[in-house]
Amino acid sequence: MKAAILKSLGQPLAIEQIPAPELGTGEVIVDVVAAPVLPYANEVFSGERRYSMELPIVPGCGAIGRVRASGPDATHLKVGDWVFCDPTVRSRDDALMPDITLQGWSARSEGGLRLQRFYHDGPLAEMIRMPTENAIRIGDIDPTDAARWCALVVLLVPYGGLLAASLQAGETLLVSGATGNFGSACVAVALAMGARCVVAPGRNQKVLDDLQRRFGERVRTVRLSGDEDEDRARMLLAAPGPIDCVLDLLPPSAPTKVVRTALMTVRPYGRVILMGGVGMLGGDELSLPYPWLMRNDITVRGKWMCPPEAVTRMAGLIRAGLLDLGHFDVTTFALDAANEAVDHAAAHGGPFNITVIQP
């Protein structure tokens, strides 16, 4: 089969023929129909992001495809089923503390790296081998819509955070990093879940105006000035009432004071979810005042990715018409043009833009 291969950091992807994956027990082979290229893929492939992966590797992070073959442990999957290829692979030998690898993308801890050595290659290829539980049915779709369904990769990350926060219909959410790729998706998902209001701070006025245009009065935008006290006061003023939850999705380049400014808008007994990349490239650590956390009974939780059932629930939100994939502008590339796709994704990584490779 044909695949795009990252052989060394800082070098272009090599488009080559490699052996097709072989099916094992507990596994599924999926024909990849569409695989997204994340806006920061160039930073991963250059080594700038310092992701833990062993080369060479067929990279990628999630895909839409159709089941080609499944093992004896699959009791529902059928050949031809449309599935989301969930990249979050969890070890099966410790239900309490499973190691995790993002297949074709990154590993968490030494255990995750060991897992990556087995479930190594990602979806920038004609086929992918993955654990049975990671091929999650999404129901019948028009083949011409497969690329647009790749928006799941972007939507599921903040959805995982909102589920971890137990966001309830009628609550007010503040999205730190709302003008980014994942942050803007978080705005859409929170509204689909019934949020009363989403406060969306950011520096990019064009994106803030676009969020307001797309979603109307339930989104309250705040242009950040860089002054911590002033920005916090303006966020609180924008909200129609107490802010129940803050979800941070800021990238590694953001300073920690911007994170702190947003987090400390949450009400007493409120929840804070950390999902961004701040601190991954070094620099200051996030500092929050102990007395404020303790006396206001604030819950702070880190969250990476989403639980498996999130895919099924997200597909339900889409099919119910609560979440519109039509928000996303999609640009597709053939597998032979994988390097051009990586460059395009980096240059067009704004909100509601997705770049997709269709093998």
Side-chain angles (χ1 to χ4, degrees):
M1 70 172 182
K2 186 184 293 184
I5 306 168
L6 180 65
K7 294 187 174 181
S8 60
L9 296 176
Q11 296 298 314
L13 298 170
I15 312 301
E16 297 180 358
Q17 292 287 333
I18 64 173
E22 296 183 1
L23 182 68
T25 300
E27 296 175 353
V28 175
I29 305 293
V30 175
D31 288 321
V32 179
V33 178
V37 180
L38 295 180
Y40 57 89
N42 61 328
E43 298 175 20
V44 176
F45 299 162
S46 70
E48 181 181 346
R49 287 257 176 166
R50 304 178 188 174
Y51 278 13
S52 180
M53 60 169 65
E54 294 187 348
L55 305 180
I57 191 171
V58 176
C61 189
I64 301 295
R66 305 191 79 167
V67 174
R68 170 179 282 258
S70 60
D73 64 320
T75 60
H76 294 279
L77 286 173
K78 301 185 300 294
V79 172
D81 278 349
W82 284 98
V83 294
F84 173 69
C85 301
D86 184 0
T88 309
V89 179
R90 298 169 176 84
S91 60
R92 295 162 167 167
D93 54 350
D94 191 330
L96 183 63
M97 297 185 296
D99 286 306
I100 292 178
T101 191
L102 296 183
Q103 188 171 352
W105 202 243
S106 177
R108 186 190 73 186
S109 76
E110 175 58 32
L113 197 57
R114 289 170 56 196
L115 196 59
Q116 186 191 83
R117 290 174 190 138
F118 187 73
Y119 288 112
H120 188 65
D121 289 331
L124 296 191
E126 293 177 324
M127 287 178 269
I128 183 173
R129 175 182 63 88
M130 59 197 321
T132 303
E133 63 269 25
N134 286 65
I136 303 173
R137 294 177 299 163
I138 58 173
D140 289 336
I141 65 172
D142 188 318
T144 61
D145 289 335
R148 195 170 301 279
W149 275 83
C150 284
L152 282 177
V153 172
V154 180
L155 294 165
L156 282 165
V157 171
Y159 189 40
L162 295 172
L163 291 175
S166 299
L167 182 73
Q168 302 297 307
E171 289 193 315
T172 294
L173 171 75
L174 186 145
V175 180
S176 177
T179 57
N181 192 248
F182 288 110
S184 58
C186 185
V187 173
V189 175
L191 294 174
M193 294 173 67
R196 173 190 178 188
C197 173
V198 177
V199 179
R203 295 180 181 275
N204 189 323
Q205 188 64 52
K206 181 179 179 181
V207 175
L208 293 174
D209 290 343
D210 181 65
L211 288 171
Q212 191 79 67
R213 177 188 63 80
R214 288 177 188 269
F215 301 113
E217 295 181 354
R218 290 170 66 200
V219 173
R220 309 284 179 88
T221 62
V222 178
R223 176 74 179 271
L224 296 177
S225 68
D227 181 275
E228 193 166 350
D229 292 334
E230 177 186 344
D231 286 340
R232 185 176 298 116
R234 293 177 65 217
M235 291 182 220
L236 288 167
L237 186 62
I243 295 172
D244 301 290
C245 178
V246 175
L247 199 156
D248 178 75
L249 287 158
L250 284 166
S253 57
T256 54
K257 80 169 189 176
V258 179
V259 182
R260 182 173 58 248
T261 300
L263 301 193
M264 292 186 66
T265 63
V266 76
R267 65 168 172 81
Y269 309 100
R271 297 97 68 200
V272 169
I273 305 295
L274 304 177
M275 294 196 80
V278 172
M280 288 177 61
L281 302 180
D284 295 336
E285 293 292 333
L286 177 62
S287 175
L288 292 172
Y290 189 114
W292 174 78
L293 287 169
M294 182 268 294
R295 289 175 179 168
N296 289 290
D297 211 335
I298 304 298
T299 299
V300 180
R301 176 176 174 180
K303 180 62 181 173
W304 194 34
M305 304 305 287
C306 65
E309 64 271 16
V311 179
T312 303
R313 292 182 180 181
M314 176 67 69
L317 289 174
I318 293 167
R319 294 190 181 279
L322 297 169
L323 189 58
D324 184 6
L325 295 181
H327 282 298
F328 288 86
D329 293 324
V330 184
T331 305
T332 61
F333 291 82
L335 185 56
D336 286 333
N339 289 297
E340 289 88 338
V342 172
D343 292 340
H344 182 275
H348 301 83
F352 304 109
N353 284 324
I354 50 175
T355 301
V356 176
I357 289 175
Q358 294 195 285

